[in-house]
Amino acid sequence: MAKYVYDFTEGNKDLKDLLGGKGANLAEMTNLGLPVPPGFTITSEACRHYLAEGAVPDGLEREVAEHLTAMEKRMGKTLGQADDPLLVSVRSGAKFSMPGMMETVLNIGLNDESVHGLAKQAGGNDRFAWDSYRRLIQMFGKTVLDIDGELFEQALESLKGDRQDTDLGAAELQGLVETFKGIVRDQTGKDFPADPREQMRLAVMAVFDSWNAPRAILYRRQERIPADLGTAVNIVAMVFGNVGNDSGTGVAFTRDPGSGQQGIYGDYLQNAQGEDVVAGIRNTIPLQELERLDKSSYDELLRIMETLENHYRDLCDIEFTIERGKLWMLQTRVGKRTAAAAFCIATQLVDQGLITLDEAVTRVTGDQLAQLMFPRFDSGTEKKKIAKGMNASPGAAVGKVVFSSERAVELAGQGEDVILVRRETNPDDLSGMIAARGILTSRGGKTSHAAVVARGMGKTCVCGAEELEVSIGERRFTAPGDIVVNEGDLISIDGTTGEVFLGEVPVVDSAVVEYFEGREPDDDLVRAVDRIMRRADEVRRLGVRANADTPDDAARARRFGGEGIGLCRTEHMFLGERRQLVEDLVLASGDEERQAALDALEPLQKADFVGIFQAMEGQPVTVRLIDPPLHEFLPDLTDLSVKVATGDATDKDRKLLGAVKRLHEQNPMLGLRGVRLGLVIPGLFAMQVRAIAQAAKEVPGAKPEIMIPLVAAVQELEAVREEAAGILADLGVEALIGTMIETPRAALTAGQVAEAAQFFSFGTNDLTQMTWGFSRDDVEAAFFSRYLELGMFGVSPFETLDRDGVGRLVTIAVEEGRAARPDLKLGICGEHGGDPDSVHFCHQAGLDYVSCSPFRIPVARLEAGRAAFAECDSDTR
Ligand code: ADP
Ligand code: MG
Ligand code: MG
């Protein structure tokens, strides 16, 4: 019989799939003997059932009732009991943390009777009881009854005036409860539900439903969290931080999530409940000051934080509440951190003996490394600093100021870089945060919504820049010294230092890039990167090569740790002044003229190859023979037509116009290109092969590999291979001859193709186009965003290799190719070669190497190392 409910004593941290992160970790803390209020978790399976069927599964209500009764027995009171009510929270919690994206309702069980019981039990503290009651109606109204939260906010604001929420007395709060109940009646036509069990039942379903709230869907897409996981629901006995000044609530990290430094990082708010800390309703105090307010709770909290770090062997973030001097733990999880902190923490934990260096490799990601390679602001230039806030999420961002999410999306859609400026952000700002280059807030700390979400997305964020007066309505902010910044003005924000600058500040390379360029490690971060990269290189089985067409790119690729060139395109060698020669080639009438044009091209090509072979110093270089259709090298049809029409045309122009018309194609990507060119234009490939061979003869140790593009049938390959092999033999040069696998047919007949190929290199850009039938240039702009919205795929197949379709073709080609030729060399040279998930796929598929742009090489090296640990996922959320 299905089990849908787990008491906290039954779960553990490894049951995240079932219990969600929050539930699994509450259970883990319970079992560690930490002070967690009693509670139980309804599984994500129940949620999936509810979302699919529109009704909760059979037996769920009974199981919930049993667990609730057990909890009531333990607590010696029943839910909402009039004279001494048990209150509970109903909290969302999915497998992957989605901060603030789904719903939670606190203080369930209060009504017009039990509110008095609560006050009595708190020693006649009426204020506390009414405060809790108004919070329930507010949260329940917004979340469960779908009432616009602003209505409650406005009623609260107008009651408060200039005062803080803690200044409101019992009578005022009681009045507010009446107002809130009125809002519920107006908006829903019904009374606020007084029955505690009914409150709980409705809240559970609202939490289930919140899985599909628009902002949750958006967040999942951004973070690539699968849409079908559902959320678990946690029912937790309430503890109260809003009883008075000996109570409060807080959040903390076991180390600095920005830098990884050990220490005490957190915020605390006295006489407060739940979200008050992160919502920024009052100014929080640094956690250190709790020592002065409540030494024994503070000491206990530090002990617990140490226990958690040692237990999880990682940075944890926690939520806690103190009720009249008694500490309660309400949440923990392995905390989100910046890219720099991820590297530093991983190596610190190695030094502390908590994890091995191999584990450290699995604790960081290629995406994080890529973030560290972003440029930063040039420290040498004059900057006009206008404020300093908290360095919430690192990076350097420059853009035009906008004050609303809508405007951010709109301007970003027009290709503008924008900085989203808000007093504080809330989950509704998510789309704007995604669209913006950076986020700046005037309120809130490192644990505020803006900070947490920005860090998760790897987006530059400065928060809590309190010197700034932000006026959303007037679309401007002011800074000290009468500085006014209006919407559309340029600013620069530094998420690493927290500084805000007027205007555009130039950016420079990151220290990590300088390290890859050869500088000795000289700070903690670079030392951490160095250690982890060395280990990744030791353990990885995949080679890493570069896509590089010039000696400069080749040299950078080597500095970044490339082990050869996996794709050297030759088409740029036909550009610039050499276009002339291509024109001659196309216009050639007869063998002689054509050969003359080719002969003129040969020494130029040879010189190009010499430069590249020299830069690679004996590492293999895979040269792809010319791939694009020849009309790409000819002048534009319209230009030529105009010239001819206006009588400005030369004789050659007229001939060219004829050629351009003759060579025009409806689908150039599927037309006369690749191996087809080699077969149709006699001498073209031969010229290129001779140039490669001559260059190899001139550079000692050069290791050329000749790659034929766009092959679909082994016959094509055989024809050009024979000619090439003859030329190599004549010149006494050794080189592998192989092919790209970029048409589905080549993949499906790989056993035959391998008879004529010494290596395969998967051209996954073309292979993706042809497998999906997508013309990349057309589909990406036209409808990919719609496809992503519709969930046709979670990420563009041009970004991350589509394992099910394209990946299957790769797997077939690997198996059948190797069966035909056991020493077949296998690589990939599409853009996927630098994408973390695709690198893991290549490892699993058994390829020998990946090839990617020089700048992505470190990312590919790291991910190839991580992939070598079988249990390691391509990302760590
Ligand atoms: P989120 O996932 O958005 O962090 P939570 O479920 O953690 O939402 O709840 C929001 C806030 O309410 C948190 O600060 C949490 O500590 C507080 N809270 C939740 N349950 C209880 C409870 N039983 N007693 C006191 N505070 C609670
Ligand atoms: Mg929480
Ligand atoms: Mg191609």
Side-chain angles (χ1 to χ4, degrees), residues 624 627 673 710 740 742 763 766:
R624 181 178 71 184
D627 184 42
R673 52 173 287 225
L710 215 74
M740 295 192 69
E742 54 186 341
D766 270 304

Tab-separated table of all heavy atoms in Angstrom, residues 624 627 673 710 740 742 763 766, ligand 3:
chain	number	residue	atom	x	y	z
A	624	ARG	N	39.884	20.682	-41.273
A	624	ARG	CA	38.695	20.338	-42.047
A	624	ARG	C	38.787	20.990	-43.420
A	624	ARG	O	38.976	22.202	-43.526
A	624	ARG	CB	37.436	20.847	-41.346
A	624	ARG	CG	36.179	20.490	-42.126
A	624	ARG	CD	34.920	20.936	-41.429
A	624	ARG	NE	34.776	22.391	-41.466
A	624	ARG	CZ	33.798	23.040	-40.849
A	624	ARG	NH1	32.923	22.374	-40.122
A	624	ARG	NH2	33.718	24.348	-40.934
A	627	ASP	N	34.246	23.714	-46.290
A	627	ASP	CA	32.902	23.230	-45.977
A	627	ASP	C	31.767	24.077	-46.574
A	627	ASP	O	30.819	23.531	-47.125
A	627	ASP	CB	32.761	23.147	-44.456
A	627	ASP	CG	31.430	22.554	-44.028
A	627	ASP	OD1	30.997	21.575	-44.642
A	627	ASP	OD2	30.833	23.067	-43.065
A	673	ARG	N	28.009	21.740	-50.728
A	673	ARG	CA	29.007	22.108	-49.717
A	673	ARG	C	29.690	20.843	-49.245
A	673	ARG	O	29.302	19.730	-49.601
A	673	ARG	CB	28.346	22.860	-48.549
A	673	ARG	CG	27.146	22.143	-47.960
A	673	ARG	CD	26.634	22.839	-46.709
A	673	ARG	NE	27.542	22.607	-45.605
A	673	ARG	CZ	27.162	22.264	-44.362
A	673	ARG	NH1	25.881	22.127	-44.066
A	673	ARG	NH2	28.047	22.068	-43.429
A	710	LEU	N	30.732	16.765	-44.020
A	710	LEU	CA	29.407	16.515	-44.590
A	710	LEU	C	29.248	15.196	-45.349
A	710	LEU	O	28.403	15.063	-46.221
A	710	LEU	CB	28.986	17.672	-45.498
A	710	LEU	CG	27.476	17.945	-45.426
A	710	LEU	CD1	27.121	18.627	-44.139
A	710	LEU	CD2	27.014	18.740	-46.609
A	740	MET	N	33.965	13.944	-40.675
A	740	MET	CA	32.985	14.402	-39.703
A	740	MET	C	31.781	13.485	-39.803
A	740	MET	O	31.454	12.984	-40.877
A	740	MET	CB	32.564	15.832	-40.003
A	740	MET	CG	33.719	16.784	-39.842
A	740	MET	SD	33.217	18.487	-39.838
A	740	MET	CE	32.336	18.623	-38.304
A	742	GLU	N	28.201	14.181	-39.346
A	742	GLU	CA	27.267	15.290	-39.119
A	742	GLU	C	26.000	15.158	-39.933
A	742	GLU	O	25.156	16.031	-39.917
A	742	GLU	CB	27.947	16.635	-39.379
A	742	GLU	CG	28.599	16.746	-40.734
A	742	GLU	CD	29.383	18.048	-40.902
A	742	GLU	OE1	29.133	18.990	-40.141
A	742	GLU	OE2	30.227	18.109	-41.812
A	763	GLY	N	30.168	16.339	-35.771
A	763	GLY	CA	29.830	17.749	-35.961
A	763	GLY	C	28.410	17.931	-35.470
A	763	GLY	O	27.455	17.825	-36.225
A	766	ASP	N	25.587	20.574	-37.113
A	766	ASP	CA	24.847	20.103	-38.284
A	766	ASP	C	24.019	18.868	-37.944
A	766	ASP	O	22.888	18.729	-38.398
A	766	ASP	CB	25.810	19.775	-39.428
A	766	ASP	CG	26.050	20.996	-40.313
A	766	ASP	OD1	25.057	21.543	-40.824
A	766	ASP	OD2	27.211	21.389	-40.480
B	3	MG	MG	29.163	21.099	-40.143
